[in-house]
Amino acid sequence: MGAAVIRPQTTLDPKQMREWTPNSWYGGHAFGRFAKKGDKKPAQFATFLAAREDVLPWIKAYSPIEHVSSDDPPIYMFYSDVPRIGQKQSDPTHTSNFGVKLQEKLHESGVECELHYKGADVEHTTVLSYVLDR
């Protein structure tokens, strides 16, 4: 048993997203109240970040990283880009920075986690190979 996911966004917390990947701009629309007609996504994100405290209960309820526990099954995450915590990414919405941070929390809880990205030294190079080994 286990879970295998492709390029997951592991937090909905705009503060974490900006710390992990400074050019993050995605997520505010998930709460339905940060988009104004005509706003570009970076403007929506700025509004979301400014109102973070108002939606923190929802962020905690819906962010995978907030639900890690020692009885979780093994996790496999597949990303295509190389992680660079604290640096801009070409695809900040699906950056492997999300995977790195979830993997850290999983390991702290004693949960097995394999994180694939370009150049990673991992046992499984595809989601299918991971699933078939389970």
Side-chain angles (χ1 to χ4, degrees):
M1 182 165 68
V5 290
I6 299 172
R7 298 170 43 169
Q9 187 173 359
T10 60
T11 187
L12 292 174
D13 186 336
K15 182 178 177 204
Q16 285 178 326
M17 285 190 263
R18 277 285 163 91
E19 289 169 357
W20 302 350
T21 310
N23 62 323
S24 289
W25 54 265
Y26 184 84
H29 68 285
F31 298 97
R33 50 185 248 204
F34 301 108
K36 294 178 187 159
K37 189 173 183 172
D39 273 355
K40 302 273 190 232
K41 289 186 178 168
Q44 292 174 15
F45 190 89
T47 303
F48 176 37
L49 182 59
R52 175 183 178 264
E53 294 300 318
D54 295 341
V55 293
L56 200 52
W58 290 347
I59 289 168
K60 298 225 177 259
Y62 298 115
S63 294
I65 200 162
E66 297 293 333
H67 298 280
V68 171
S69 64
S70 61
D71 62 346
D72 287 345
I75 304 292
Y76 177 88
M77 292 180 285
F78 182 95
Y79 292 91
S80 50
D81 66 327
V82 176
R84 291 182 178 88
I85 301 297
Q87 296 180 27
K88 291 182 177 181
Q89 295 285 287
S90 61
D91 183 1
T93 303
H94 298 105
T95 174
S96 57
N97 290 350
F98 285 117
V100 167
K101 289 302 189 176
L102 182 61
Q103 183 182 49
E104 287 174 2
K105 186 136 185 195
L106 289 163
H107 284 171
E108 288 171 10
S109 295
V111 177
E112 179 186 326
C113 178
E114 191 172 336
L115 175 62
H116 175 276
Y117 53 86
K118 185 178 181 179
D121 182 20
V122 293
E123 182 179 348
H124 303 93
T125 58
T126 66
V127 171
L128 180 60
S129 66
Y130 179 81
V131 170
L132 291 174
D133 270 359
R134 291 279 153 206

